[in-house]
Amino acid sequence: MTAAAPEHVPVVVIGAGPTGLTAATLLARHGVPALVLERHRAPYPLPRAVHLDDEVHRILQAVGIHEAFSEITRPARGMRLLDGSHRVLAEFLRDSPYGWHGFPQANMFDQPELEQLLRDTLTKHASITLRGGIEVTAVTPPPHGGLPVEVSFRDEGTGVSHRLLADAVLGCDGAGSLVRASIGSRMQDLASQQQWLVVDIRCRVPLPAWDGVHQICDPGRTATYMRVGEDRYRWEFRLRTGEQPEELTDRARLLELIAPWTPGIAEDELHVLRTAIYTFRAQVADRWRKGRVFLLGDAAHLTPPFIGQGMGAGMRDAYNLAWKLARVLTGRASEALLDTYQAERRRHARQLIRTAVGVGAVMTGGGTGTVLARNAVLPALSRVPGASGLVLSAVSPPLRSGPLVGFHRPGHPRPGTVCPQPLIPDADGTPRLLDDLLGENFALLATAPISPALHALLRALDARVLNLHTPRRQQPGTGGNGQGAGPGIGALVRWMGRAGAVLLRPDRVVLATATRPRHGRACGDDLAAAAAAWAPILCSGADTTGSSAAVPTHLCDGG
């Protein structure tokens, strides 16, 4: 009797944490089915990540859960740096609740609640299947490249082993990644490891502490405190050299450690949800891809917590890869597009990790001389105009030059950066976040008529045009985008500078720009000409030349 052929699926996602669920949902929104395999049957119940920034909140918008997430998150007020005696060295407050991306710049949340939201949204996509209680035992790429990739796994409920074939496998399986081992990738250390005690506590009585993030800048006992929710609080304490974890984890010792933040609070009000010893690592994998097997999230990089970017970096991986993989799997782009994933994300992750290591060293490292210097410099720094905005601003660096990051023209938005997201009036005048108008794919922001050559390129990219009209000429000195123009439109046009058009990738990264024409001429010939370098990667088999044809357009006239 012939054995049944293994099941074939387009994409297998291994791991149903935030990175894996985000990747699967984005693939589905781009029309690609995915099977998610996960050991746990329900979201991991204990809190881990507690912070994400406005750029990652914008990724949740792309997933479709930003409004639900806003209901379970709490914006962070700012940060205080304190010495070992809890004297304030510097205080940095956020001037505005909303950042560049249209959301609060710092969002505190409970990770199990976020994971449940991500699981719930899977029900809206019939093309996604989530299987819990699964142990993946092997991922086997073809020995000489090509397809398909074989995935072996065991159902822990039945004990039955299975195998299936996939066109692509996404390894979102964490720091001990089996997928990473399967492609022969190894972690590279960027800094020495540190052991930290993490304590999560629930208290129905508000703690008598300043309502923001506290960073204790004391090499003797470095610590971080933050209010996560209405009744949830987190502390992180770095272990001293030679200190054993059990010395800190009994209840009496825990209460002693958190006592500076809990004066007057009865002990029976402090309910310990979790204590855990974590080894904070600064690592990045030397290889993120083999054929159609990819690493994402903690499988590809591990970031110290000082800038709160660990989980967010994984979700950025998903946002970067999903649209590229979908475009290749649906035959709209060449395989070369997938080469840009590691090239863009590995450098970006390395820079974030080095930033986290550097911030940690500045805040907590050094001997007596360093401590004295820090205690002298930080108060002065906090009084410098604009210091709060600089310290608390988003730390995500731009993508460097590459196949999908075009040439920077003076006075134009820099390719590789993410465009801002103001509120823009819809056709009926209702303010909407920019990305809701741009859709899932490529988009063009334009302030001038578009040339036939640019129209052809946009048609090949399946791009949507957002036409930012200026109905009446701006009067000198008015500082706006034209009389009657909405503030969101004006902000976009000012950001565009000398550009008459800005081409955005599906992940809202600036790909290229066109010079604003004079005397009412059409713009875009220069952008279309530059596209000869990257259009073959993005538009496999598509005609990027020829006559103009209809391109989906949204007209914004400020009214």
Side-chain angles (χ1 to χ4, degrees), residues 394-424:
V395 296
S396 180
L399 300 180
R400 297 182 184 179
S401 298
L404 301 185
V405 177
F407 175 73
H408 179 222
R409 306 166 190 261
H412 289 216
R414 181 176 293 276
T417 59
V418 181
C419 76
Q421 182 176 218
L423 290 170
I424 300 294

Side-chain angles (χ1 to χ4, degrees), residues 33-196:
L35 169 65
V36 183
L37 302 178
E38 166 61 37
R39 173 166 290 182
H40 299 285
R41 296 186 181 277
Y44 188 75
L46 297 178
R48 290 165 288 170
V50 295
H51 166 271
L52 56 81
D53 63 20
D54 53 333
E55 182 181 345
V56 180
H57 199 159
R58 188 173 180 177
I59 297 173
L60 295 180
Q61 178 188 356
V63 172
I65 64 168
H66 60 293
E67 292 179 343
F69 178 72
S70 294
E71 296 177 0
I72 66 167
T73 188
R74 188 174 186 279
R77 180 180 178 185
M79 179 173 61
R80 275 182 178 174
L81 307 180
L82 303 96
D83 66 12
S85 299
H86 287 242
R87 293 186 296 259
V88 177
L89 299 173
E91 179 176 285
F92 304 100
L93 300 177
R94 287 185 169 83
D95 298 328
S96 171
Y98 292 95
W100 181 261
H101 300 282
F103 298 103
Q105 291 177 300
N107 304 271
M108 313 304 294
F109 65 98
D110 184 28
Q111 183 171 338
E113 291 183 341
L114 171 59
E115 290 191 18
Q116 189 60 58
L117 290 179
L118 288 165
R119 285 179 177 238
D120 290 345
T121 200
L122 299 185
T123 62
K124 302 176 183 178
H125 301 282
S127 61
I128 303 176
T129 302
L130 171 61
R131 294 189 60 178
I134 298 296
E135 178 191 7
V136 176
T137 55
V139 173
T140 310
H144 303 293
L147 293 171
V149 181
E150 183 176 304
V151 178
S152 303
F153 62 92
R154 185 176 67 88
D155 188 316
E156 295 183 337
T158 65
V160 177
S161 294
H162 305 267
R163 67 186 184 97
L164 53 79
L165 302 177
D167 295 326
V169 172
L170 308 189
C172 308
D173 51 342
S177 173
L178 176 146
V179 179
R180 185 174 65 239
S182 76
I183 66 171
S185 175
R186 296 183 179 182
M187 284 294 204
Q188 298 176 330
D189 290 319
L190 302 182
S192 59
Q193 301 177 5
Q194 297 180 0
Q195 279 197 307
W196 287 65

Side-chain angles (χ1 to χ4, degrees), residues 323-324 327-328 331-341 344 402-405 442 457 460-461 505 511 531-542 544:
W323 69 268
K324 298 174 180 178
R327 202 164 179 89
V328 171
R332 293 174 293 163
S334 73
E335 193 81 10
L337 178 58
L338 301 178
D339 294 334
T340 66
Y341 169 63
E344 292 183 346
L404 301 185
V405 177
F442 288 86
L457 176 65
L461 290 172
R505 303 172 1 169
L511 197 164
W534 44 262
I537 299 175
L538 290 170
C539 311
S540 179
T544 59

Side-chain angles (χ1 to χ4, degrees), residues 256-442:
E256 180 183 342
L257 287 171
I258 68 173
W261 293 273
T262 59
I265 302 295
E267 289 187 9
D268 59 1
E269 294 285 0
L270 300 169
H271 302 283
V272 179
L273 299 177
R274 180 189 69 149
T275 63
I277 300 295
Y278 275 97
T279 300
F280 290 160
R281 295 181 171 90
Q283 295 181 324
V284 63
D286 60 359
R287 183 177 192 177
W288 290 37
R289 175 194 175 201
K290 182 178 181 181
R292 291 279 187 84
V293 180
F294 303 86
L295 303 181
L296 298 82
D298 286 355
H301 45 76
L302 295 168
T303 308
F306 294 106
I307 56 175
Q309 292 294 323
M311 187 191 76
M315 297 176 76
R316 288 185 176 96
D317 295 341
Y319 201 28
N320 185 287
L321 178 60
W323 69 268
K324 298 174 180 178
L325 182 59
R327 202 164 179 89
V328 171
L329 292 180
T330 55
R332 293 174 293 163
S334 73
E335 193 81 10
L337 178 58
L338 301 178
D339 294 334
T340 66
Y341 169 63
Q342 175 175 325
E344 292 183 346
R345 287 299 307 144
R346 188 172 186 271
R347 288 187 294 191
H348 189 276
R350 283 179 65 93
Q351 190 166 343
L352 274 183
I353 293 168
R354 292 193 183 280
T355 298
V357 171
V359 168
V362 168
M363 289 183 176
T364 66
T368 302
T370 301
V371 172
L372 291 174
R374 180 166 54 230
N375 291 358
V377 169
L378 288 178
L381 173 63
S382 66
R383 294 189 293 268
V384 174
S388 290
L390 180 63
V391 171
L392 299 175
S393 63
V395 296
S396 180
L399 300 180
R400 297 182 184 179
S401 298
L404 301 185
V405 177
F407 175 73
H408 179 222
R409 306 166 190 261
H412 289 216
R414 181 176 293 276
T417 59
V418 181
C419 76
Q421 182 176 218
L423 290 170
I424 300 294
D426 202 345
D428 61 1
T430 302
R432 297 181 62 190
L433 288 167
L434 174 66
D435 290 355
D436 291 340
L437 300 178
L438 299 185
E440 307 282 354
N441 295 307
F442 288 86

Side-chain angles (χ1 to χ4, degrees), residues 194-199 221 237-239 243-249 254 257 274-281:
Q194 297 180 0
Q195 279 197 307
W196 287 65
L197 168 68
V198 177
V199 183
R221 177 65 78 196
F237 300 95
R238 188 171 67 189
L239 272 64
E243 197 167 39
Q244 299 303 310
E246 56 270 18
E247 298 177 35
L248 303 181
T249 51
L254 288 177
L257 287 171
R274 180 189 69 149
T275 63
I277 300 295
Y278 275 97
T279 300
F280 290 160
R281 295 181 171 90

